[in-house]
Amino acid sequence: MPITFDQQHHVFKLDTSVSTYAFMVYQENYLVHLYYGAKLPDTDLSYLMYRGKFDSLSPYNPKVEDLFFSPDIQPFEYPTNGAGDFRISALSVRGGSGDAVTDIRYVSHKIYDGKPSLPGLPATFAQEGQAQTLEVETVDAVTGVKSTLLYTVFEDYPVITRSVRLENGGEAPVVLERAYSSCVELPTMDLDMVHLWGKWWNENNTERRALQHGITSIQSKRGMTGSNHNPFVAFAHPSTTEESGEVWGMNFIYSGNFAIDTEVDTRGTTRVLMGINPTDFRWRLEPGESFQTPEAVLVYSDKGLGAMSRTFHHFYLDHLCRSEWAKKKRPLLINSWEAAFFDFDDDKLVAFAQEAKKLGIEMLVMDDGWFGTRNDDLRGLGDWYVNEKKLKGGLSHLIERVNALGLKFGIWYEPEMVNPDSDLYRAHPDWAIRAKGREHSISRYQCVLDMTRKDVRDNIFQQMYNVLSQNKIDYIKWDCNRNITEAASATLPPERQGEFFHRYVLGVYDLMDRITTAFPHILLENCSSGGCRFDAGMLYYAPQIWTSDCTDPIERLTIQFGASLCYPVAAMGAHVSANSRASVKTRGVVAMSGTFGYELDPRTELTDEEREVVLQQVADYHKYYDLIHFGDLYRLTAPTENPYLADWQFVSPDKNEALFCRVIMRRPPNLYQSVCLAGLDPDKIYVDEETGKAYSGALLMHGGIDLSAYDYANNYDGDSFMKHFVVR
Ligand code: GLA
């Protein structure tokens, strides 16, 4: 059984194939954390709760018969505010008396097979026999608030998911001021923190730095995740590398204001909280009401950052992406945005499709500009009906023409937004988010619709439904090109305005749920000015997310390497565009380590030679689809660590196939005639498909592959190659 409770020592153990997570019910029903790390056979672990000695200023509970126990020191499962623990707290509830002292104690628990869904929220799921769940009920005796801590352990993955259900079991209303989803207590500060920061066009820069005393927070308060900081973090020993050493990876399944707070206390221990950002969060619970926090995903690896990433990748494809497209081969698309921006009509799109067809492309995606009066980005958002001046004869007619060429058809939406210059805004100016008495700021000439309101969601759903149900649409790109300011809802009473941001996210999830339920066969791609909402919450609904508006392959190396720390290659939207100095071949090598597609005018932006390259790329896309999308990714040479080149590799699950990819960014001073592969079977014999030469897996992994024929002197600026190895 992966989850056990040792009655004698009062210890809960959550075991995965490689890890153990343990905590205990201590005296006075405190829930004390004990351990998270490599798998352990023992259950008597209580000594692990002592992390430093009592200070003269440490408060204690006189009912606890243990001189060394103080809330000031002990690691807790779900630390609370104001009752003796002075570190950052996961839960803070302001009760009927007006104070925010919160103190939870164990009441009961249950262990059962399966994984519950979380109402209104994206969350991981499991089929029968794949997971076991522990629910630990606690109560705060004064407010009556019950916190139920949920933990799920997955049979085949070193993964634990966590969330918390809060219920007001008291008689007075309470306000949740902090309600995090998980707390991890690591016994040391000798750790590096790895996280992803960035901005528009420059997402997912990987930063690794040593922990220091004090509090570090990575967060968003934009209303959306943002590209500034991704809700992913990993902690690794300083000696941990890509393929060796311990790592604790954490990711939050949420698309709004999040916070990952790390406190290193003055005893040198580390507390990590992950949850909804408490800034701008106040949630009122009337007696009997409950609140479910979003879900946190914890991955432990004893084989470096690479193994952590591979766990996230496979786990998300198996247990998070609910779309039927998660594991299905997706059509190879061409997108109109960089090819035409707003300047298109039906004939131009059909001409794109005609040319694309010759290249083997399978779907035309009509991006922004097909609706209302949307001839530029100044107007039209909110008016989701076809502009028949542009698409003469209507959308169905256009789709028929595209389908007749043998291509599927996709369409762009930005459902959460409205331009002041739109029919929707003129009819419902109050639907745009603004705080009472204040003007709303404008960003990209647009405002955000109040998605907390059902009437607003109903209107947008109905508009989308009309188009989607009357036309043969195979794909939607769901965009979101601004963040929320002057946040408030006209329909919430003053005491509930603190709920706005989370209610907004719940509203977006509700709309996505309705669309994907009504049209389950449509492939949904998420986007937010590129990768500004690249998170696990979106992955639940959309199996792919546009990774960045930057399509230059050299820049994309850093962006995609960073994203791959947590998110699968199968989720990373990546296209070959005309927007680069690098060769079409290199653009293809990088985009192929993503969902792959094109975003250029196929009539004018490819030379005859480049067309030949594209035909080869399309063949490679089909040949390597499974290997790239469902194989194991190994990051061999990171573009942030080597200024000259980047190397990465895929290995099929049966280890019978491997694909090595290299991009040369600058002319290297060294020869780079070899590189060691990873993840192969040492005893199998692999044949280099290009040269026909055979090597053992052991030789390829320890001696390296033979690149001596490659001439870096002449091919250094954005050149690339792939090498395919197959077991004989
Ligand atoms: C965002 C997206 C682009 C494109 C435009 C359309 O910037 O990231 O891919 O769809 O919007 O306005």
Side-chain angles (χ1 to χ4, degrees):
M1 294 292 268
I3 302 180
T4 51
F5 181 61
D6 180 318
Q7 297 280 359
Q8 191 192 347
H9 301 105
H10 305 129
V11 169
F12 292 102
K13 270 185 73 195
L14 285 66
D15 289 319
T16 73
S17 48
V18 299
S19 67
T20 291
Y21 183 102
F23 60 100
M24 72 179 295
V25 184
Y26 191 58
Q27 289 180 44
E28 292 301 309
N29 291 325
Y30 283 104
L31 275 180
V32 179
H33 178 79
L34 297 173
Y35 176 82
Y36 185 27
K39 194 163 182 170
L40 303 175
D42 319 62
T43 50
D44 184 5
L45 300 169
S46 56
Y47 74 97
L48 294 173
M49 76 174 178
Y50 297 103
R51 295 183 178 177
K53 289 272 182 267
F54 209 89
D55 275 348
S56 77
L57 293 176
S58 293
Y60 61 93
N61 180 345
K63 290 187 186 148
V64 174
E65 295 164 359
D66 176 352
L67 278 179
F68 294 109
F69 183 92
S70 166
D72 192 14
I73 302 167
Q74 258 62 49
F76 285 109
E77 259 323 278
Y78 196 54
T80 57
N81 182 56
D85 181 347
F86 299 111
R87 292 158 291 181
I88 44 176
S89 43
L91 181 68
S92 182
V93 181
R94 200 166 290 277
S97 318
D99 65 79
V101 179
T102 312
D103 188 0
I104 62 165
R105 306 295 174 87
Y106 169 83
V107 175
S108 65
H109 72 269
K110 58 181 179 187
I111 297 170
Y112 55 87
D113 289 341
K115 165 74 177 60
S117 55
L118 305 184
L121 285 164
T124 58
F125 51 78
Q127 311 300 333
E128 219 184 302
Q130 290 180 332
Q132 206 175 41
T133 296
L134 164 67
E135 291 194 10
V136 181
E137 192 185 311
T138 70
V139 74
D140 176 272
V142 174
T143 58
V145 170
K146 288 188 214 161
S147 312
T148 303
L149 314 185
L150 287 95
Y151 303 79
T152 296
V153 178
F154 290 79
E155 195 69 16
D156 300 329
Y157 287 99
V159 173
I160 296 171
T161 60
R162 290 188 62 173
S163 71
V164 180
R165 193 167 60 232
L166 296 144
E167 191 190 330
N168 185 354
E171 275 157 21
V174 301
V175 176
L176 306 178
E177 296 189 339
R178 298 166 72 85
Y180 281 78
S181 298
S182 85
C183 172
V184 173
E185 302 264 34
L186 298 166
T188 175
M189 68 176 284
D190 292 329
L191 295 167
D192 290 341
M193 179 172 125
V194 182
H195 103 282
L196 301 171
W197 66 273
K199 48 191 165 310
W200 178 66
W201 257 69
N202 178 222
E203 296 83 351
N204 303 323
N205 294 286
T206 306
E207 187 166 81
R208 178 171 177 161
R209 61 182 143 138
L211 287 183
Q212 308 223 315
H213 289 98
I215 297 171
T216 307
S217 183
I218 58 170
Q219 49 172 274
S220 164
K221 45 181 234 167
R222 299 174 163 265
M224 290 91 182
T225 327
S227 50
N228 304 64
H229 301 282
N230 193 273
F232 158 81
V233 76
F235 296 89
H237 292 299
S239 59
T240 294
T241 65
E242 261 300 298
E243 297 301 330
S244 74
E246 284 187 292
V247 189
W248 293 262
M250 305 172 197
N251 187 217
F252 194 34
I253 306 181
Y254 193 57
S255 313
N257 291 354
F258 72 89
I260 304 176
D261 300 337
T262 304
E263 178 167 2
V264 177
D265 69 7
T266 46
R267 290 173 188 83
T269 69
T270 303
R271 170 175 289 174
V272 187
L273 302 179
M274 182 180 291
I276 294 176
N277 191 340
T279 303
D280 293 334
F281 172 80
R282 297 283 175 280
W283 194 279
R284 187 178 165 92
L285 283 184
E286 295 293 332
E289 281 184 349
S290 58
F291 180 85
Q292 172 65 53
T293 74
E295 190 166 51
V297 180
L298 313 180
V299 169
Y300 170 80
S301 157
D302 59 357
K303 296 204 167 43
L305 289 155
M308 171 204 70
S309 299
R310 290 186 285 278
T311 298
F312 273 117
H313 300 168
H314 294 296
F315 179 69
Y316 280 172
L317 289 178
D318 283 347
H319 294 288
L320 177 66
C321 297
R322 69 170 189 179
S323 162
E324 65 180 40
W325 289 99
K327 293 234 179 152
K328 218 162 89 174
K329 191 166 174 201
R330 304 177 205 155
L332 173 53
L333 66 83
I334 186 160
N335 177 296
S336 69
W337 180 243
E338 287 191 25
F341 296 105
F342 296 102
D343 178 22
F344 62 82
D345 62 7
D346 50 338
D347 288 337
K348 194 182 218 179
L349 292 175
V350 171
F352 283 176
Q354 263 160 352
E355 275 309 307
K357 175 70 187 170
K358 292 183 198 156
L359 299 171
I361 291 168
E362 299 162 326
M363 179 161 73
L364 176 76
V365 173
M366 176 176 65
D367 208 279
D368 195 356
W370 58 269
F371 52 89
T373 52
R374 186 84 168 163
N375 295 316
D376 50 37
D377 53 7
L378 294 168
R379 67 203 93 236
L381 290 173
D383 298 341
W384 300 110
Y385 43 84
V386 178
N387 178 348
E388 297 211 4
K389 281 193 197 134
K390 262 185 174 173
L391 307 185
K392 298 171 285 294
L395 184 55
S396 296
H397 183 55
L398 168 64
I399 297 177
E400 275 161 26
R401 292 172 72 192
V402 172
N403 287 168
L405 293 166
L407 271 76
K408 295 179 185 300
F409 188 85
I411 197 168
W412 181 94
Y413 274 103
E414 197 176 355
E416 299 151 70
M417 301 294 159
V418 66
N419 285 116
D421 186 355
S422 66
D423 292 343
L424 187 77
Y425 188 92
R426 281 182 282 273
H428 303 283
D430 57 314
W431 284 8
I433 293 168
R434 68 152 72 78
K436 199 169 176 188
R438 297 182 194 279
E439 286 302 311
H440 42 52
S441 305
I442 299 285
S443 175
R444 208 195 186 206
Y445 314 107
Q446 64 200 55
C447 305
V448 189
L449 287 170
D450 184 353
M451 285 287 147
T452 72
R453 292 175 62 159
K454 186 163 180 311
D455 54 349
V456 176
R457 299 198 300 271
D458 284 349
N459 176 292
I460 299 298
F461 176 79
Q462 199 52 53
Q463 289 200 58
M464 291 176 78
Y465 187 87
N466 293 345
V467 173
L468 299 172
S469 60
Q470 287 162 24
N471 295 284
K472 203 172 159 301
I473 288 171
D474 299 293
Y475 160 109
I476 296 174
K477 178 170 166 190
W478 182 308
D479 216 329
C480 170
N481 288 322
R482 72 157 284 182
N483 296 142
I484 299 175
T485 56
E486 293 84 28
S489 174
T491 56
L492 287 172
E495 67 277 16
R496 286 200 180 269
Q497 291 294 344
E499 300 172 16
F500 175 83
F501 276 110
H502 183 57
R503 285 187 185 275
Y504 179 89
V505 180
L506 293 178
V508 172
Y509 288 152
D510 174 63
L511 188 56
M512 278 191 180
D513 186 57
R514 286 168 73 182
I515 293 291
T516 50
T517 305
F519 303 99
H521 307 309
I522 290 185
L523 167 59
L524 183 63
E525 174 156 355
N526 187 258
C527 175
S528 176
S529 292
C532 299
R533 195 158 64 180
F534 202 117
D535 63 62
M538 287 294 132
L539 273 187
Y540 178 74
Y541 304 98
Q544 61 191 55
I545 305 177
W546 184 229
T547 319
S548 175
D549 275 346
C550 176
T551 44
D552 176 83
I554 305 300
E555 302 299 330
R556 273 286 185 131
L557 287 173
T558 325
I559 296 170
Q560 293 178 201
F561 260 69
S564 79
L565 272 173
C566 184
Y567 306 101
V569 159
M572 282 185 227
H575 297 165
V576 172
S577 78
N579 206 350
S580 170
R581 281 176 306 145
S583 65
V584 168
K585 179 177 161 216
T586 297
R587 293 178 232 169
V589 167
V590 176
M592 212 170 290
S593 287
T595 57
F596 197 61
Y598 290 85
E599 188 154 341
L600 42 71
D601 185 336
R603 304 166 308 171
T604 56
E605 289 182 316
L606 291 170
T607 63
D608 288 345
E609 251 172 56
E610 287 172 339
R611 260 166 228 281
E612 291 304 313
V613 176
V614 168
L615 287 170
Q616 182 58 50
Q617 276 167 1
V618 172
D620 287 348
Y621 165 81
H622 292 296
K623 179 172 172 185
Y624 301 134
Y625 191 91
D626 285 354
L627 176 55
I628 291 177
H629 293 94
F630 310 125
D632 283 326
L633 169 73
Y634 289 85
R635 293 177 294 257
L636 302 178
T637 312
T640 42
E641 280 160 25
N642 185 313
Y644 306 106
L645 42 83
D647 296 327
W648 66 101
Q649 180 207 339
F650 299 95
V651 180
S652 62
D654 60 7
K655 294 187 189 290
N656 281 344
E657 231 188 315
L659 183 70
F660 168 77
C661 308
R662 166 166 286 184
V663 169
I664 296 111
M665 302 181 283
R666 289 173 59 203
R667 179 179 184 162
N670 300 339
L671 291 173
Y672 289 107
Q673 287 191 347
S674 171
V675 59
C676 291
L677 297 190
L680 305 179
D681 183 332
D683 299 326
K684 286 185 174 166
I685 300 298
Y686 293 83
V687 176
D688 177 338
E689 215 178 39
E690 195 186 358
T691 62
K693 272 186 81 175
Y695 310 81
S696 70
L699 177 55
L700 292 176
M701 289 194 291
H702 302 294
I705 59 175
D706 179 6
L707 299 175
S708 56
Y710 190 78
D711 181 4
Y712 294 96
N714 294 323
N715 302 299
Y716 57 85
D717 193 2
D719 197 16
S720 60
F721 53 86
M722 302 196 294
K723 257 187 172 304
H724 188 214
F725 295 86
V726 221
V727 165
R728 187 166 58 195

